Amino acid sequence: MFAVHLMAFYFSKLKEDQIKKVDRFLYHMRLSDDTLLDIMRRFRAEMEKGLAKDTNPTAAVKMLPTFVRAIPDGSENGEFLSLDLGGSKFRVLKVQVAEEGKRHVQMESQFYPTPNEIIRGNGTELFEYVADCLADFMKTKDLKHKKLPLGLTFSFPCRQTKLEEGVLLSWTKKFKARGVQDTDVVSRLTKAMRRHKDMDVDILALVNDTVGTMMTCAYDDPYCEVGVIIGTGTNACYMEDMSNIDLVEGDEGRMCINTEWGAFGDDGALEDIRTEFDRELDLGSLNPGKQMFEKMISGLYLGELVRLILLKMAKAGLLFGGEKSSALHTKGKIETRHVAAMEKYKEGLANTREILVDLGLEPSEADCIAVQHVCTIVSFRSANLCAAALAAILTRLRENKKVERLRTTVGVDGTLYKIHPQYPKRLHKVVRKLVPSCDVRFLLSESGSTKGAAMVTAVASRVQAQRKQIDKVLALFRLTREQLVDVQAKMRAELEYGLKKKSHGLATVRMLPTYVCGLPDGTEKGKFLALDLGGTNFRVLLVKIRSGRRSVRMYNKIFAIPLEIMQGTGEELFDHIVQCIADFLDYMGLKGASLPLGFTFSFPCRQMSIDKGTLIGWTKGFKATDCEGEDVVDMLREAIKRRNEFDLDIVAVVNDTVGTMMTCGYEDPNCEIGLIAGTGSNMCYMEDMRNIEMVEGDEGKMCINTEWGGFGDNGCIDDIRTRYDMEVDEGSLNPGKQRYEKMTSGMYLGEIVRQILIDLTKQGLLFRGQISERLRTRGIFETKFLSQIESDRLALLQVRTILQQLGLDSTCEDSIVVKEVCGAVSRRAAQLCGAGLAAIVEKRREDQGLEHLRITVGVDGTLYKLHPHFSRILQETVKELAPRCDVTFMLSEDGSGKGAALITAVAKRLQQAQKEN
């Protein structure tokens, strides 16, 4: 018993002594946590350099864009070919994805050798050999009669400008074929395939093996957005935000970046952690000075590092009694598979002895323990370095997503990771220690690189097909110049119909005389009350106008109009309005004061004088009964009488569009047009009296309220209305009415977008084909969301947040499509508005017989003010369609309140002048 204890003590002491001896000898290979954090920081800096346009040419870590913009979503299907060129063997596969709608992949493959004379010979012969192998495979599998898409896994650094193109930057590993560097490998292979006339294959994607690994794992786990290879070579890729990739145009979405991290340190960034053994290995390699990081990590080099260390220790008399064998002197005699075998848990020491004996050495027990520990240090350093760079990538992903904790999956492949018994465990542990704020799952890739190339091809096919369908929908909203000119001409014709006595009753553009016959001249003064009714809120204002300095001061109070009042009786509505006026006068201490009042009533009215307005029809959700066909001024007067508390002098009933023009006209006498582009859409302008057949008199001008929202109600613009417009119209409160407004105003744009999103989702092109209950809800997609989503400053992450608030769980790709849909709908709205405005400015120019017209348009409305692109597109359209009109756009400051007071003041001034005359 004592002897057993003695032996055990001897062995553990021996082990301890040998480990200490090796630790002292390889002190520089042991990396502390602080060193790893420092390497992590250095790699982050290298990534930044590689992504930036200015520093990329000199960056060691090239951060190559792969043009892979989407990961699998499970809807991929079809038959694909895949080639994998980059390792010791070359592989061809046929991959069947998602047969019969199941998330399932079936593969048939064949390996072909890659002889040295081929991979180090002439480039043309290399590609011809690959094409011959592919032809052989297709013949064997009876695929010659089929047209198939192909994905090429090419595991060497390439600069890509599109998914199906890649220029080889440099060979790595053992490849050295001449005349390939700086040429496009896809066109080289395509040319070689043309020799086989019976082969019909399209190369859709060139993929790095690392990207293939990520895509394979992403098919099984949608959280996978990082791929790592730890095999013969080493590399990593991950999904980067497009806004951070200077080398590729566009800021939308994400793209997979192939880091080519094997070259980290080629610029000397890792000199302080490289050892004499790393330097010796590098000098004896095929590519001295290149792939420094890879040479400290990958399977191609670990065995050789161990051999160099053992040789040096033997020379120093620390191993094998100072004896060396010719095999130990021979490069490549220790391979990574030997290192893995020596580190096996139980049989490791026995394996070590066997391997050393095969090398012609006579190891003692102590030698075996020491050699095993050398292997541990070399492979542990490899895992540590890999973990530090991977931790840098994970930190970047977390920061890109702006989250406290990141949940993600890393797809891993490579022989070193697969065959080394301790490697995965070590790597995972160090990664989790370096990035405690990331919940990382490591997923082993099956047939990673080749299956991955097929997955990239499948995704490219899916995206291509989906893109066609999406473009087909978006094309419905793209208006050509000819179509806009046609809209302009039709609007012009409708304006003329509306002004003529004969055709006025049939015109869809009502051209209502407002009896506003003058613009402010600066002499207006006094206190005025203004009422503003046009939406769910009602405002009462006190407006003080001072002459000379053109100064206006306003005091106002907002009151809500409940839905039951909006859609109740006319009497209830006007009693509610009078109650609000009474509250305001009380609030301002003006009880009993008799003030002139301007009433902004933003609904279509037929006026017979400035203080008489007959409601033609409600819009904007109002439905109060017994109002249509009645004079709203009389209804207001009756309600004031019923209240019997105060008396008001109602001077003018005003449309908000006219108020907008008057507000701007107060600042700029050149302002003769008012435009509203908000919840509703409308236009007014100063027309020559001689052209207004509905009103007697030919002298001077009068403001015409076009009520252009009804343009097209006669079917004249049906050629540009889409099925989505029709759905929105049918679901509205006034089907068949206000068709132009329903294509251009804020009240409806969000609803058009919602209809398109439902259709695209039904086609399986959005939200994984799932229509949420929220998306089914009418009115849920408000126009303010269009403005937010289309903001240039908004990252896709924020777009996703907005969609999540709407109960829409979107992917990055979904967010891009939603943004495109919003852009198409709002662009068309702005262009249609611009075409309508162009018709009016051209009419004014021709009526005045001018070669060139200078005019100002006063504009108001949330769509014009808040949407990031609406105003610009509208202005560009006017400029294009009315090139002889110099149009200035002036933002109105409270047209409906201040404007109503100014119209009242102008009317008072004109009344006074008439009296004096």
Side-chain angles (χ1 to χ4, degrees), residues 87 143 173 187 199 215 265 329 360 365 404-405 437 487 544 548 651 681 730 746 785 800 835 864:
L143 296 171
K173 292 168 268 199
S187 54
M199 207 160 73
M215 293 297 271
H329 275 99
E365 197 70 44
E404 285 297 313
R405 285 198 79 74
S437 55
V487 169
K544 293 179 180 176
V651 174
S681 176
E730 282 161 24
F785 294 131
R800 287 178 78 178
Y864 187 92

Side-chain angles (χ1 to χ4, degrees), residues 290 341 583 603 609 705 784 802 917:
K290 300 280 170 67
D583 289 352
F603 302 94
S609 67
N705 167 21
K784 70 173 181 183
I802 292 167
N917 283 340

